[in-house]
Amino acid sequence: MPTITKSNIAYDKRNLSDKELLKLYYNMLKPRLIEEKMLILLRQGKVSKWFSGIGQEAISVGVTMALKPSEYILPMHRNLGVFTTREIPLHRLFCQWQGKMSGFTKGRDRSFHFGTQEYNIVGMISHLGPQLGVADGIALANLLKKNGNVTAVFSGEGGTSEGDFHEALNVASVWQLPVIFCIENNGYGLSTPTSEQYHCKHLADRGKGYGIESFILDGNNIIETYTKVQKLADSIRKRPRPILIEFKTFRRRGHEEASGTKYVPQELMDEWEAKDPIENFKSFLFSKKILNTSIDEAYVAEIKSEIDTALESAYAESEIIPSKTTELNDVYKAYDYESFTYSKETKELRFIDAISEGLKQSMQKHKDLVIMGQDIAEYGGVFKITDGFLEAFGKDRVRNTPICESAIVEAAMGLSISGIKSVVEMQFADFVTSGFNPVVNYLAKSHYRWAQQADVVVRMPCGGGVAAGPFHSQTNEAWFTKTPGLKVVYPAFPYDAKGLLATAINDPNPVLFFEHKALYRSIRQDVPTDYFTIPFGEAAFLKEGNAVTIITYGAGVHWALETLDNNTDISADLIDLRTLQPLDKEAIIKSVKKTGRAIILQEDSLFGGIASDLSAMLMEECFEYLDAPVKRVASMETPIPFIGQLEDQYMAKGQFEDALKQVLAY
C-alpha cells in the first residue's frame, strides 16, 4: 500500500455519500490522466498545442457536476474537466485535437474552440471576452422559456480586464439573468502576474459594483466547489439572478506548453503543488477509508484503457481531404428561401414606416422573436421605428439595453444558441464599432467552426445627408462585406426594406441590415399591407438601356435616378444591388456585357469600398466586352463632416453626373 500523506486542504464531507465522493475523485482523475498523455503526445509532435489545466481540475469538475446536463456551460482553455464530466466520447475529443473529421470543427479550429449542442457546451474563441455575453443570452433564453435552467460561464482572471466582462456583468445584473460567472484566478495571464493585472484585493469584489452577489472559493477544494455551486445553482433556479464566484487556484504549467514557467518563482510553484486538488483529495479519501489502493488502481487502469482505445481509433481515422465546395458550403447555414403570397392591397409608406411595419409583422409571425437596443421600448427608438412595440409585444420581447453594444450582440448569439431569433438595433451604424469583435469573430464564424447558426439581424441606421457629423453618418458596409459568414442587406425603397427585412429575420444566418437615415422620411412608395419576403442576391433593374450600366445601392440609387431624370438622353441599365452579400453577380455581368460600359456609385469613401471589388470583378469577367474603363464614384477620402456645405462637398452625389458623362464619352 502506498504511503498516504496528510491532506493540505481542509475538507468537510458534509452530507455527501461515499459514492458521490468517489465520483468527484474519478471525474478529476480522468482529465488529469488525459493531460499527462497529451503532454507526452505534444513532445512526440502528435498534438500541435496544449493549454494545460493541471491543478485546476476541481473547478471544472465541481461546477459541471453541480449543474444539470440540460444546462449550458461555457468553458475556457483549461476546462477539460467540463468536457469529460459531460462524458463526451474521448474518440471525438482526440479527433478534435488532431484535426480529424470526427472532431467538432472538421479541422477548422483547434483544442477547445468548439461547442456542441448535444452536450450543452459552448467553447470559447481566442478573444476570450465574448462568451460572457453569450452566456447572458443563453440565460435570457432560459428566463423567456421559464425553464428554470442556470448557465455557467468561465473566465480567467486576465479576461476580467476586458470590456466584455464588465458589460456582461452589467447586463446580467440589470436583467437579473440566471447565470453563474466563474473566474478561475490562477495567478498569471500568460506571464503577467495578477499584481500587474488588477489593483483590487479580490476579483469577487467587482460583483459589488454591479449589484451582484459574489463569493470566493478555494478552487482546489472539490467538495467546497461542488457543494457551494450546487447550492447557488438551486437558489438561482428558484430566484433568477446572476452570481459571481472567484475560484482561487494556480496555473502550474505554462500558458500553453511552449511558454514554459520560468517566470514563476519556485517557492510559489512548490506551494501550489502541495495544494494539488487530486492528490489532496485522494489523501482525504484514503484517510476516511472511502478510497483504497484497489479502487484507485482500478480507476487508473480503466481511464488509461479508455484513453489508449480512443487514441488508437483517432489515429486510425484518415486525414481530412480538403474540398473547396465543402468549405464554401459550410460558411453559411443552408436556408431555403420561403416566399409568401399576399393580396394586392397596398398603402403608401415612408421608408421608415415600411421598416417598422415589417418588423412588427415579423414579431407577430415569430412569437419568440426578441428585439434589443438602446431606447427602443418606451421611447420607441431614436427614430421611433419601434414606437408602440412595447405595448404590443411586452417588455420581455422589446428590451431596452444598457449602452453595451458588445454584450448585446453576444447576448443575441446566446439567444440563437438557445433557438431564439433576435434583432439588435444599433442606434447608429457607427456605434457597431463598440460591438465589432462579436460581429466579425463570433457571429460570422460560428457556423463554419462548429455548425452553430447565428440567427441574428443587426439593424444599422447609416449614411449622411442629415448633418450628423463623423460619428453618426458613416456608411460602413465594406467592413462587413469583407467578412465571410455575414450577409449584408442595403435597401433603397420602402417595398424592398419591408420585404428584405422579413427575409433577414427568417434567414438563420447573421445579417447586417443597413437603413439609410436620409431615406427614412424622404422616400415614399406603395407597399403591400400583408407580410411578404424578397429573396437575397437578386438585384433590381430600375431602368433599362444600352449605353452604360450604373451599379449602386442605398442613397446612391436615388442620386442615379435624379441624374438620369435630368439627362433623358442617356440610355442606361440602372441596377439597385439591394443585397451586397450575397451579390447578384450574374445580373451585373450580363448587363455590362450588353452595354460595354460600367460605372459604380457608392456613398462610402473610395479606397477599400465594395465598388473596388465590383470593378475588379468586371475587369476579370468582362474585359473583352468593355468599351471604356470601369469607373468608380465615391465620397471623399475624409471622415464625413458635419456642416452642410462640407458634407455636400464630401458626398459622391455631386461627382456622379460628370463621371457618368466621362464614361459615355470615352
Side-chain angles (χ1 to χ4, degrees):
M1 178 175 176
T3 303
I4 303 300
T5 59
K6 182 181 178 182
S7 174
N8 292 313
I9 296 175
Y11 294 102
D12 180 352
K13 184 175 180 289
R14 304 186 187 185
N15 60 347
L16 296 179
S17 67
D18 291 357
K19 184 178 179 181
E20 286 178 289
L21 293 167
L22 288 172
K23 186 64 173 176
L24 289 170
Y25 175 69
Y26 182 92
N27 282 349
M28 284 198 296
L29 185 61
K30 188 170 185 177
R32 173 67 62 88
L33 293 176
I34 292 171
E35 285 222 46
E36 289 175 352
K37 185 68 172 182
M38 289 302 113
L39 296 180
I40 293 171
L41 297 179
L42 186 69
R43 290 193 290 271
Q44 294 174 345
K46 296 179 179 179
V47 176
S48 63
K49 210 172 190 68
W50 190 256
F51 297 88
S52 177
I54 287 177
Q56 299 177 212
E57 294 89 350
I59 304 170
S60 300
V61 172
V63 171
T64 307
M65 288 184 66
L67 266 60
K68 297 185 290 188
S70 61
E71 295 176 320
Y72 281 93
I73 300 178
L74 292 84
M76 294 282 285
H77 291 96
R78 299 176 216 293
N79 296 123
L80 173 58
V82 171
F83 298 86
T84 54
T85 303
R86 282 275 165 100
E87 297 184 348
I88 291 181
L90 296 190
H91 168 79
R92 293 205 68 190
L93 283 177
F94 294 159
C95 284
Q96 170 66 21
W97 302 334
Q98 293 179 34
K100 300 291 183 71
M101 187 60 74
S102 293
F104 293 88
T105 63
K106 300 182 180 179
R108 295 166 183 162
D109 214 335
R110 60 167 142 178
S111 61
F112 298 102
H113 290 206
F114 71 90
T116 163
Q117 288 282 12
E118 184 179 357
Y119 296 94
N120 293 311
I121 294 174
V122 180
M124 38 76 71
I125 68 170
S126 291
H127 295 73
L128 303 182
Q131 68 179 33
L132 296 156
V134 173
D136 279 354
I138 295 172
L140 173 59
N142 290 335
L143 269 190
L144 296 175
K145 294 176 180 180
K146 297 180 172 61
N147 60 19
N149 279 352
V150 173
T151 301
V153 59
F154 287 84
S155 173
E157 84 290 332
T160 67
S161 296
E162 294 202 7
D164 300 80
F165 172 81
H166 299 276
E167 289 191 18
L169 261 64
N170 190 50
V171 170
S173 179
V174 170
W175 289 350
Q176 287 295 280
L177 300 176
V179 58
I180 301 174
F181 295 99
C182 304
I183 304 173
E184 292 182 294
N185 190 343
N186 62 20
Y188 285 86
L190 211 155
S191 68
T192 305
T194 52
S195 61
E196 297 177 24
Q197 294 187 61
Y198 57 87
H199 197 57
C200 54
K201 185 175 182 181
H202 301 293
L203 288 170
D205 294 341
R206 291 183 170 175
K208 299 174 185 176
Y210 295 104
I212 294 177
E213 296 170 58
S214 58
F215 301 87
I216 297 172
L217 300 182
D218 179 354
N220 286 26
N221 185 327
I222 184 62
I223 295 180
E224 180 179 328
T225 296
Y226 170 61
T227 56
K228 185 64 175 180
V229 174
Q230 189 179 54
K231 181 179 179 181
L232 291 173
D234 285 340
S235 174
I236 293 171
R237 293 181 191 112
K238 296 169 186 171
R239 181 168 65 88
R241 66 197 189 280
I243 283 177
L244 175 66
I245 304 175
E246 179 183 1
F247 295 96
K248 302 287 191 180
T249 185
F250 195 75
R251 201 192 71 219
R252 286 162 46 193
R253 308 287 304 184
H255 167 70
E256 47 98 6
E257 282 305 307
S259 304
T261 56
K262 289 183 179 179
Y263 48 85
V264 181
Q266 188 57 48
E267 59 271 20
L268 188 58
M269 187 69 78
D270 293 342
E271 176 187 341
W272 281 97
E273 284 184 356
K275 297 177 183 177
D276 184 278
I278 297 175
E279 291 303 318
N280 279 281
F281 192 50
K282 178 180 177 180
S283 297
F284 169 76
L285 294 178
F286 264 96
S287 70
K288 298 296 182 182
K289 301 190 184 315
I290 297 169
L291 179 67
N292 57 45
T293 303
S294 177
I295 296 173
D296 191 34
E297 289 177 349
Y299 284 173
V300 171
E302 178 184 324
I303 295 169
K304 285 187 174 182
S305 175
E306 184 182 358
I307 292 170
D308 291 341
T309 301
L311 276 173
E312 186 176 342
S313 65
Y315 288 143
E317 286 216 3
S318 57
E319 299 297 320
I320 288 176
I321 300 174
S323 163
K324 289 183 180 179
T325 300
T326 300
E327 292 300 287
L328 291 170
N329 286 346
D330 284 354
V331 173
Y332 299 95
K333 180 177 175 62
Y335 168 57
D336 293 326
Y337 168 74
E338 185 179 3
S339 178
F340 292 83
T341 58
Y342 51 90
S343 68
K344 294 181 179 179
E345 182 182 349
T346 65
K347 61 181 174 182
E348 187 180 65
L349 293 178
R350 298 175 301 174
F351 191 96
I352 194 168
D353 301 324
I355 292 172
S356 180
E357 186 172 282
L359 192 56
K360 182 177 292 183
Q361 289 178 350
S362 288
M363 290 287 281
Q364 293 164 345
K365 174 179 170 57
H366 303 285
K367 300 301 183 183
D368 59 355
L369 174 64
V370 174
I371 306 175
M372 299 183 287
Q374 295 159 27
D375 306 299
I376 66 165
E378 289 86 354
Y379 191 68
V382 293
F383 300 105
K384 301 302 179 184
I385 285 176
T386 53
D387 193 22
F389 278 41
L390 181 63
E391 292 76 15
F393 304 109
K395 207 166 181 66
D396 277 352
R397 297 181 63 199
V398 184
R399 306 186 74 88
N400 278 339
T401 71
I403 302 177
C404 296
E405 285 87 357
S406 189
I408 298 306
V409 172
E410 293 156 12
M413 182 70 218
L415 286 173
S416 181
I417 288 170
S418 297
I420 295 177
K421 291 178 177 288
S422 64
V423 174
V424 175
E425 178 185 299
M426 291 291 155
Q427 203 165 70
F428 295 89
D430 315 65
F431 297 168
V432 76
T433 51
S434 295
F436 193 74
N437 177 40
V439 172
V440 300
N441 282 316
Y442 214 118
L443 300 187
K445 295 177 172 63
S446 286
H447 190 267
Y448 175 75
R449 288 173 53 243
W450 58 284
Q452 172 57 55
Q453 67 199 53
D455 204 341
V456 180
V457 175
V458 183
R459 290 185 44 240
M460 303 276 282
C462 66
V466 293
F471 305 118
H472 295 76
S473 305
Q474 294 175 86
T475 174
N476 45 22
E477 66 280 355
W479 296 349
F480 305 104
T481 54
K482 174 68 182 72
T483 306
L486 300 176
K487 296 188 178 183
V488 181
V489 179
Y490 206 138
F493 293 96
Y495 173 83
D496 293 337
K498 181 178 176 181
L500 289 170
L501 181 57
T503 303
I505 292 169
N506 291 341
D507 194 315
N509 296 285
V511 180
L512 278 296
F513 193 89
F514 284 83
E515 307 164 7
H516 201 291
K517 303 189 302 296
L519 305 182
Y520 269 162
R521 293 174 171 84
S522 65
I523 303 298
R524 296 173 179 268
Q525 190 181 33
D526 286 337
V527 179
T529 56
D530 292 342
Y531 176 91
F532 69 97
T533 57
I534 297 173
F536 287 173
E538 291 188 9
F541 276 77
L542 304 182
K543 287 184 177 292
E544 293 193 15
N546 297 304
V548 65
T549 299
I550 302 170
I551 306 160
T552 187
Y553 56 95
V557 172
H558 300 281
W559 302 343
L561 283 169
E562 182 181 334
T563 299
L564 292 176
D565 287 344
N566 293 334
N567 295 270
T568 55
D569 58 319
I570 296 177
S571 175
D573 271 359
L574 174 55
I575 299 177
D576 175 6
L577 295 175
R578 300 199 294 189
T579 65
L580 309 182
Q581 180 58 262
L583 183 71
D584 193 347
K585 180 179 176 180
E586 182 180 347
I588 296 167
I589 291 173
K590 183 178 179 181
S591 173
V592 173
K593 284 183 176 180
K594 178 187 75 170
T595 65
R597 287 178 169 84
I599 184 169
I600 307 161
L601 172 62
Q602 68 183 30
E603 182 177 332
D604 190 12
S605 53
L606 186 63
F607 191 84
I610 193 170
S612 299
D613 272 290
L614 292 173
S615 175
M617 179 187 77
L618 291 174
M619 294 302 289
E620 291 173 354
E621 301 279 350
C622 305
F623 182 76
E624 63 268 33
Y625 294 87
L626 292 172
D627 297 320
V630 175
K631 183 70 175 176
R632 296 172 296 152
V633 182
S635 298
M636 287 178 64
E637 294 292 321
T638 69
I640 183 168
F642 155 63
I643 198 69
Q645 57 268 36
L646 292 178
E647 189 178 37
D648 289 343
Q649 174 184 261
Y650 166 88
M651 285 291 186
K653 178 181 180 181
Q655 310 166 40
F656 179 66
E657 184 172 343
D658 287 344
L660 176 60
K661 291 178 178 179
Q662 288 172 19
V663 171
L664 290 166
Y666 184 87

